[in-house]
Amino acid sequence: MVRPALPPNVSGQRVRVALLEARPAGLHMPHLVMATELSRSQVRRGIVYLRDTAAELGLTPLIWDRMNGYRFSSDPEDWVAYELRSFRKEMTAIRRIVTGCVIPHSLLRPDDEDVKLMLGQLTGVESGFEYLIRQLERTRKTA
């Protein structure tokens, strides 16, 4: 069934209310769909809206984990764990782009200025993520 498009802030508000009502527990996607009476794509848009505007709305971080689903957590340990998972996931994706495409591209076209620039930039991004992950891991150990 196709549902009418809702502005992201409306979807976000419905998701926010459902998550606040479930607090401190979280909700997985099927439960969010039922609780909000939105489609999966509308719930996803609501989640994106909440993540994009959480700071200006004064919300605690919206996190996700397999056990609890989506939830607003007031525990900094939960935030750091979510951040670590997110950075590791992004770093893995960047490494796969580099090893699967950019390096083979650079070997086949060693004089290509664009691939040299890409490789340099992506190597820097990868190093940045590695640094963030190490810092977050140290923070968790000392906390």
Side-chain angles (χ1 to χ4, degrees):
M1 172 170 116
V2 176
R3 298 184 188 184
L6 288 175
N9 64 315
V10 173
S11 297
Q13 181 62 14
R14 287 193 189 174
V15 170
R16 180 179 166 270
V17 167
L19 291 173
L20 289 174
E21 288 176 356
R23 225 175 178 181
L27 295 172
H28 288 89
M29 182 60 76
H31 301 114
L32 272 170
V33 169
M34 285 190 298
T36 60
E37 298 180 350
L38 297 172
S39 68
R40 286 178 72 85
S41 64
Q42 289 170 326
V43 168
R44 274 192 222 102
R45 276 192 296 267
I47 290 168
V48 167
Y49 174 81
L50 289 173
R51 286 202 168 131
D52 287 348
T53 61
E56 69 186 56
L57 295 174
L59 301 174
T60 56
L62 175 58
I63 62 171
W64 180 89
D65 63 57
R66 285 186 182 162
M67 189 165 79
N68 300 298
Y70 292 97
R71 64 191 170 107
F72 291 112
S73 175
S74 54
D75 184 355
E77 273 293 312
D78 293 338
W79 308 340
V80 172
Y82 176 76
E83 292 160 354
L84 274 168
R85 284 191 309 273
S86 298
F87 287 136
R88 285 184 180 127
K89 178 182 167 188
E90 294 302 322
M91 194 166 72
T92 298
I94 291 167
R95 282 184 176 153
R96 287 184 177 145
I97 291 168
V98 170
T99 59
C101 189
V102 179
I103 290 176
H105 178 172
S106 70
L107 294 173
L108 293 171
R109 306 276 168 117
D111 295 330
D112 187 331
E113 291 299 320
D114 289 336
V115 77
K116 288 178 185 178
L117 181 62
M118 277 189 288
L119 192 54
Q121 291 295 317
L122 289 171
T123 300
V125 169
E126 184 179 352
S127 296
F129 276 121
E130 185 66 41
Y131 177 77
L132 286 170
I133 289 168
R134 287 181 185 173
Q135 290 301 108
L136 287 169
E137 287 172 341
R138 283 186 191 119
T139 301
R140 284 182 90 181
K141 289 176 184 172
T142 60

